Amino acid sequence: MLPLNIVHRPLPSGVDLWLVPVANCPFVAVELGLPLGVSSEPVPGLAAILSRILEQPPTGSQAEKAILRLEQVGVNLLSEVTWPYCCWTLQVQSDHLFNVLTGLGQLLRPPAVSASTCRHLTAKQAGLSQEAQRDDSILTALALARITGRPSLAGTTLALGSANQREGVTPASLQAYATAGATANGALLVLAGGLDPVRAADICRAAFASWPQHTPLCPRPLRVLDAEAVWCRTDGRTARVALALDLASLTTQPERWAGILTHLLEDLLVRELRTRRSLAYYVQSHAAGSMLIAQASVAPESVEQVLKELEHAVSLLNEASPAEISKAARLAMARDIMAMESTVEIAGRLFNEVAAAGGMAQPGWRHHWDWLQAVMSSAAPLQVPDLSAGTCRQVLVSPTPAGQIQGWDPITPDDLL
Amino acid sequence: MTLQNKGSWHTFALSNGLRVAVEAGPDKGLLSIQMRYRVGSRDEAPNEWGFAHLVEHLLCRHPQRLSGADYHDLIRDAYGTSNATTGADFTKYYTTVPVSALGLVLRLEAQRMADLVPGPIQAECDVIASERQWMESQDPCGLWEDELHALAYPSDNGYHHSILGAVEHLTAVTPERIKDFHQRHYAPNNALLAIAGGADVSAVASLVEHCLGVLPARPVAARIRLQPASEGQHVRRNGNVSMPRVFLAYPAPPLGTPEYRYLDLLGDVLVTGRTSRLAQALRTGAPMADYWFRLLPGTAASLVVIWATVPSDVDPATTREWLGEFLVCLHPPTPAEIQRIRAVNRLRRAQLFELSSERADRVAEALDLGLEPAQALLVDEPFDPEAMARAAELFRPEHQVCLEYVNPEAE
């Protein structure tokens, strides 16, 4: 399977447009990001509330009519708020692309909102925050983001905001925020599927031609926790343990190595923690940029043991043989090939990659594949780079541990939100 | 064996009874393979609850006789992915691998079919116990499907008990009993094989015959006939829920029937998009905070479930009564609704069927239900407005099973 043909066509309006034609695909997957993410919200939770308002505009409004037209052609519009963006995801039959993109342009306008709607949505958001405080996986993702300074590790959970910080959500603040963020420059648009890049670029140019163009809101930095280890104390019955190894300091290809090592790490963890010792039901490892993440869902009394096993597994990576590395590279490549069966997956991956690079970098898939091929076929003995140069951090989300874990001062779930 | 062309799918049967479907097409580098057995939790004897799921775990995670390593490891070594699922009516093993590994997968499937090396049974039972615990810990309503099945079906109905089984039955399992369960159900004449991704059909057919044709057919335990669903019930459970949740379930047609398909479409009328019935109801003040729709399929009978979360200032009884009344009074979908849901389904199916693993799954299921592969993979399915109207009449209160989760501390 050949790498994809990725076309970059920034629009005169400032929209950063990326296109991926996929042969024989009857639909187009669309990912649109507006600079209305958590990083630019003046009040915690505002971005999530605004996305809800944009998703469900007032009855009888032009925006509502736009949504109804979209739904009549089968479009199910979904939004989510991440650190940099409010992201809109949809799939549309290729024939309907122009009408749908034009409809999107009409939809995403600053709304008029009543004070009662504001209060209602604020209360609902506070409820979601409270519910999130019971969810181990959400708390772990937040803790990993705050301890590493990488907001992408938190996904959409940073949009929850603290249950206690809702002052300032008013119709005026919502309007002002929406006006400032609904701008063509600062928007990221990815289309993948049955499309002709030239024609699709023309459609996008026309659909977003009348959008305002002004300087997007200035993003603020992520609030980080200055610690190597974080324990978030909960009332639950299970614990979640996570370890994050940042390979950014490696001199060669840290992101590529993270992508390969995650497969080796997951193998080690599943074998040891789940199959051999039944210490964990859920075990997972993944790479996020140059970061290698491993986590497990365990009983609170096993926390200390599992933390040690995670550290041990990471140390074993240094001893991986060239054959194991080559095999892991093949597995990474096979996974990429499998993922690219899905046009929706292609659009999502491309969007995330461009967003993570601040919209500046060329997508690295072709180079990534070239590098994997080189690793797989290298005649020279391969050595895992010295991982001791990486920075390791730990996260524990747990009720009071049964064991004595020294030096772990607990924080509350609200501290993470 | 005789090849029959079903669009791009070719079907045939080996002399030992194994039914096979292969997708013809150019080599795209990957194949998805599903071996599906007609055995699930409904086929377990009254003292065997959990055996089907336990067999699945043992066949995946422990070294089997010929290979010397566990199945998942071998597939990973071949740069593939694999997993398995046990349902009430089936157990399926699905694998996606580079084309060059097809022979390996078929040999491993043959070995799984032929014999079971039990391995450390108790360790695997511990994993299953922790699976249940984890599901409960992640969500206070985490076992709602099991609870609804237990309410909807009498105790002598195969759909009554959980796929995870009963602790007392798993504790009493022995290597002999689990091997016997395997022998009674894992036979070529009780299995279906689907291979998707595009292949030279003749070459694949020869390979299948070579790897799996040598296994003899075996007597298979007859499928236990299921008793009808129970009459309406209402149960309230206490749990650490932040917002109460109300589940309403109703008997539904079996999977694979036209009536089931229209009920699935009705779900989109009810919940998908801003113009769905429940979205509109929410905007006009319905006593709920959120809602969803699920079909719990069964080859003998299904359940249709609609649930709602209850706002903090509302009595769960109010939500329950409102939702029940709403469903009883459903009018058939309008032409505009029909146009919308057909468009939604076309897009949804077009996306799903991009994935070879999804195509293999749908075709294996189709073979199990006696349907044509091409029928299972239609993007734009035929539509009968009268059948659609009949689907809206299913929500009879006398058949309703209601399960509520409330938090007595919050109350």
Side-chain angles (χ1 to χ4, degrees), chain A residues 70-92:
Chain A
L70 292 179
E71 290 198 350
Q72 276 306 106
V73 295
V75 170
N76 192 19
L77 195 59
L78 298 172
S79 73
E80 61 179 25
V81 178
T82 62
W83 180 249
Y85 292 114
C86 178
C87 306
W88 298 82
T89 305
L90 61 106
Q91 296 81 45
V92 55

Side-chain angles (χ1 to χ4, degrees), chain A residues 127-327:
Chain A
L128 289 173
S129 283
Q130 280 171 342
E131 213 165 305
Q133 297 188 21
R134 300 162 182 256
D135 190 318
D136 288 354
S137 63
I138 289 178
L139 295 174
T140 303
L142 284 166
L144 282 169
R146 296 218 184 270
I147 202 175
T148 61
R150 302 276 189 100
S152 61
L153 296 180
T156 60
T157 60
L158 285 167
L160 288 165
S162 166
N164 301 319
Q165 296 172 21
R166 300 290 165 198
E167 302 85 24
V169 178
T170 63
S173 67
L174 276 165
Q175 270 272 347
Y177 178 55
T179 303
T183 171
N185 48 316
L188 172 61
L189 177 60
V190 172
L191 306 182
L195 57 84
D196 169 72
V198 172
R199 173 83 183 117
D202 286 341
I203 288 172
C204 295
R205 194 172 298 121
F208 293 97
S210 62
W211 268 45
Q213 300 172 43
H214 49 257
T215 306
L217 296 166
C218 188
R220 58 180 163 80
L222 177 71
R223 176 174 62 85
V224 297
L225 295 169
D226 185 19
E228 288 188 358
V230 162
W231 166 29
C232 178
R233 181 149 61 188
T234 61
D235 299 325
R237 293 192 300 172
T238 57
R240 196 171 277 230
V241 177
L243 183 148
L245 177 64
D246 191 351
L247 304 180
S249 57
L250 293 186
T251 52
T252 52
Q253 309 278 14
E255 294 186 6
R256 312 296 185 223
W257 277 112
I260 286 188
L261 293 175
T262 189
H263 294 292
L264 287 174
L265 184 56
E266 188 161 296
D267 253 350
L268 288 167
L269 293 175
V270 167
R271 196 166 290 151
E272 192 59 27
L273 292 182
R274 189 165 188 262
T275 307
R276 202 172 79 80
R277 300 170 66 181
S278 299
L279 280 175
Y281 172 70
Y282 170 79
V283 173
Q284 188 256 356
S285 166
H286 72 278
S290 63
M291 192 81 66
L292 195 52
I293 313 283
Q295 51 182 303
S297 189
V298 305
E301 54 269 23
S302 304
V303 155
E304 241 184 308
Q305 209 173 352
V306 171
L307 276 171
K308 287 184 185 141
E309 289 297 339
L310 286 181
E311 285 178 10
H312 181 60
V314 168
S315 70
L316 286 179
L317 293 177
N318 269 317
E319 297 162 26
S321 67
E324 284 174 317
I325 298 167
S326 179
K327 194 176 288 184

Side-chain angles (χ1 to χ4, degrees), chain A residues 57 68 71 267 330 341 343, chain B residues 76 79 134 274-275 354 356:
Chain A
L68 297 182
E71 290 198 350
D267 253 350
R330 285 183 191 275
E341 278 195 315
T343 301
Chain B
R76 278 175 74 93
Y79 317 120
W134 184 77
R274 178 177 173 72
T275 47
E354 281 195 309
S356 56

Side-chain angles (χ1 to χ4, degrees), chain B residues 253-268:
Chain B
L255 176 67
T257 58
E259 293 79 10
Y260 181 93
R261 182 167 78 85
Y262 284 99
L263 196 52
D264 202 6
L265 292 174
L266 186 67
D268 282 321

